[in-house]
Amino acid sequence: MKKIWLLGAMALFVSNATFAGDYLTNTNQNAAFLRMIARGASIDVDGAYSNPAGLSFLPKDGFYLSLTGQSAFQKRSISATTPLWTLGGKTTTREFEGKASAPIIPSFQGVYKKGDWTISTNFGITGGGGKASFNQGLPLFNSMITHLIDQVYKKKIHPDMYDINSAMDGKQYIFGLQLGLSYRIADWVSVYAGGRMNYFSGGYEGFLTAALYDKYWQSFPDNYRTLADIKLKCDQSGWGIAPILGTDFKFNKFNIGMKYEFKTNLNIENKTGEMEVNPEIIESKLGAYKEGVNTPSDVPAMFSAAVGYEFLPTLRATVEYHFFDDLNAGMADDRQKTLSHGTHEILVGAEWDATENLTFSGGFQNTDYGLSDKFQTDTSFSCDSYSLGFGARVDLTKGWSMDVAYFWTKYKDYTKTSASYNGTGYSGTDVYSRSNKVFGLSLNYQF
């Protein structure tokens, strides 16, 4: 019997960012962010990423170094409701769960200040991060296979006669190396100019088989047993550069930091190691993912503005705003055009010096994506959220200090209802859910 070959959108499967920030931007580059969140007015070593212009106001000349390790763990689930699961006239629900983990995420900030001039660098995973695995597959593929089997075999084979076994892994990392120079123009203002080179490394690997149960296939010729057999392995890479500008204003107890990161024009190129699909399907479904094909995956421009205020010598607070210009950052198939607006983030944080050597801090962040049903897919979905972070800084010696932090995110479920579920002609509803937690530790040294 003729085998059914179908891959659909498996090649779109990559892991979204498992951290704070936008779709392709991680704003947490130091444990100081995790413990306070609003760091856009920081005058500290972590400002090499969050407020580079403010580094010119560091109290002493010399070197400032910080090495951070973070661990992020995320669950993603899709609750899929449709008549397709039985094709017996009843609507049923199936649960699909994926896990994304990044046990060790390193980052580094380095600063050297001499008079009014400061040079700084930041290296870290500035986008994506970790590996996502759906060991039970995804409703997108299972529903498409079920529908196609029903169509090809003229309803002689029903869902209760076969088993679908599928799994897929996706990974996505954007490594960012930033370098720039700050200059204090006057006692109250400083400026920054620099850039970041972003290198994208990602890929996906998956399979799907649909096979008749033993009690059914034995009544057919041998080649009837396997109804579908799909395999794909593809790696992707690419790079781009984004200029960065910043300024910082310091007035008595106020400090105002602003930064603008230009868009990174990023095209990722396929290196396809395995693709077992019919040629007609390759041309109609997967032409964009053949060997050597380039796909746009721009890192959007970002604007941040923060106001910090020192209420007491031991008590400080910051309010911050982020905007990511997602509508003008190219995605595959112009997916960005389905968004209603770019991403808005509101951040608030405070820290209190309990003693000369111990500082406690906490913060809040609200993230509002411009999501739409057309933007959300099983292979790549996001949810609006709010996050809480808290932790402490401990001064170990005159030169050494340590930041420890915990960052937790609560996501709002997104419900998507379709009259034709994944193009099958049957109705269906997906409820997308996520959960996330991050632990971080930074070691800082000044000399």
Side-chain angles (χ1 to χ4, degrees), residues 87 149-158 161 426:
L87 291 177
I149 290 174
D150 186 57
Q151 295 294 306
V152 170
Y153 295 101
K154 310 300 182 184
K155 303 186 182 300
K156 294 180 180 179
I157 298 177
H158 303 286
M161 298 173 64
Y426 292 85

Side-chain angles (χ1 to χ4, degrees), residues 8-195:
M10 182 184 290
L12 294 175
F13 183 80
V14 293
S15 59
N16 297 101
T18 56
F19 312 117
D22 193 52
Y23 305 109
L24 288 178
T25 304
N26 297 331
T27 53
N28 54 312
Q29 295 297 307
N30 191 285
F33 173 91
L34 299 179
R35 66 175 175 84
M36 184 179 168
I37 298 182
R39 299 292 292 178
S42 168
I43 300 178
D44 204 345
V45 62
D46 66 297
Y49 175 82
S50 59
N51 183 29
L55 297 172
S56 295
F57 293 111
L58 285 166
K60 297 179 181 179
D61 287 354
F63 287 95
Y64 297 77
L65 307 175
S66 182
L67 180 63
T68 298
Q70 299 181 60
S71 298
F73 304 93
Q74 186 178 104
K75 289 184 180 180
R76 311 177 191 188
S77 62
I78 305 173
S79 181
T81 303
T82 176
L84 271 167
W85 302 139
T86 63
L87 291 177
K90 294 183 179 181
T91 297
T92 57
T93 300
R94 290 185 181 180
E95 302 293 336
F96 298 80
E97 184 176 281
K99 295 182 179 180
S101 63
I104 298 294
I105 311 108
S107 59
F108 171 79
Q109 290 86 41
V111 177
Y112 177 69
K113 180 178 181 295
K114 181 67 173 179
D116 294 332
W117 292 92
T118 306
I119 187 170
S120 61
T121 186
N122 178 86
F123 174 79
I125 299 175
T126 52
K131 179 180 179 181
S133 300
F134 280 80
N135 293 328
Q136 293 81 37
L138 290 169
L140 169 65
F141 310 131
N142 289 23
S143 62
M144 293 173 73
I145 285 292
T146 299
H147 177 62
L148 194 53
I149 290 174
D150 186 57
Q151 295 294 306
V152 170
Y153 295 101
K154 310 300 182 184
K155 303 186 182 300
K156 294 180 180 179
I157 298 177
H158 303 286
D160 60 353
M161 298 173 64
Y162 59 87
D163 176 60
I164 296 179
N165 182 23
S166 63
M168 40 211 82
D169 294 337
K171 60 181 180 180
Q172 181 187 86
Y173 299 91
I174 299 179
F175 299 96
L177 177 61
Q178 179 179 327
L179 183 66
L181 195 63
S182 306
Y183 179 66
R184 186 172 61 185
I185 300 173
D187 290 342
W188 57 276
V189 61
S190 177
V191 294
Y192 169 86

Side-chain angles (χ1 to χ4, degrees), residues 217-401:
W217 79 269
Q218 291 178 355
S219 62
F220 293 96
D222 288 348
N223 58 351
Y224 268 67
R225 181 173 187 176
T226 301
L227 306 176
D229 188 3
I230 304 162
K231 295 178 182 178
L232 176 71
K233 186 179 188 304
C234 183
D235 295 319
Q236 294 181 322
S237 62
W239 67 277
I241 295 177
I244 304 172
L245 300 176
T247 186
D248 189 275
F249 302 92
K250 191 170 180 61
F251 303 100
N252 297 321
K253 296 182 179 182
F254 281 98
N255 192 62
I256 302 172
M258 292 187 290
K259 180 180 67 167
Y260 184 80
E261 299 185 4
F262 290 79
K263 178 178 70 174
T264 304
N265 291 310
L266 187 62
N267 286 314
I268 54 177
E269 183 175 350
N270 296 341
K271 186 176 182 181
T272 304
E274 184 177 25
M275 183 183 288
E276 294 188 7
V277 292
N278 184 279
E280 288 78 13
I281 298 297
I282 290 176
E283 294 299 326
S284 62
K285 300 286 187 180
L286 297 175
Y289 301 98
K290 293 193 295 184
E291 174 74 20
V293 171
N294 284 271
T295 303
S297 186
D298 295 342
V299 179
M302 173 199 179
F303 171 74
S304 69
V307 180
Y309 184 74
E310 182 181 274
F311 293 93
L312 298 170
T314 59
L315 180 62
R316 300 165 297 279
T318 300
V319 177
E320 187 171 354
Y321 169 73
H322 293 168
F323 173 70
F324 298 89
D325 190 13
D326 303 304
L327 293 177
N328 292 305
M331 298 182 182
D333 299 321
D334 283 332
R335 186 166 164 240
Q336 76 280 1
K337 293 181 179 180
T338 66
L339 293 166
S340 60
H341 58 75
T343 299
H344 301 278
E345 286 188 328
I346 301 296
L347 307 88
V348 180
E351 56 183 356
W352 169 58
D353 299 332
T355 69
E356 290 185 358
N357 300 317
L358 179 63
T359 299
F360 293 109
S361 59
F364 169 86
Q365 173 179 286
N366 185 78
T367 302
D368 176 21
Y369 299 111
L371 300 172
S372 68
D373 285 356
K374 290 183 178 180
F375 183 84
Q376 301 283 67
T377 69
D378 290 2
T379 53
S380 180
F381 65 86
S382 298
C383 300
D384 293 341
S385 66
Y386 70 85
S387 302
L388 300 173
F390 59 89
R393 167 168 287 188
V394 181
D395 292 327
L396 304 174
T397 67
K398 184 178 180 179
W400 287 93
S401 65

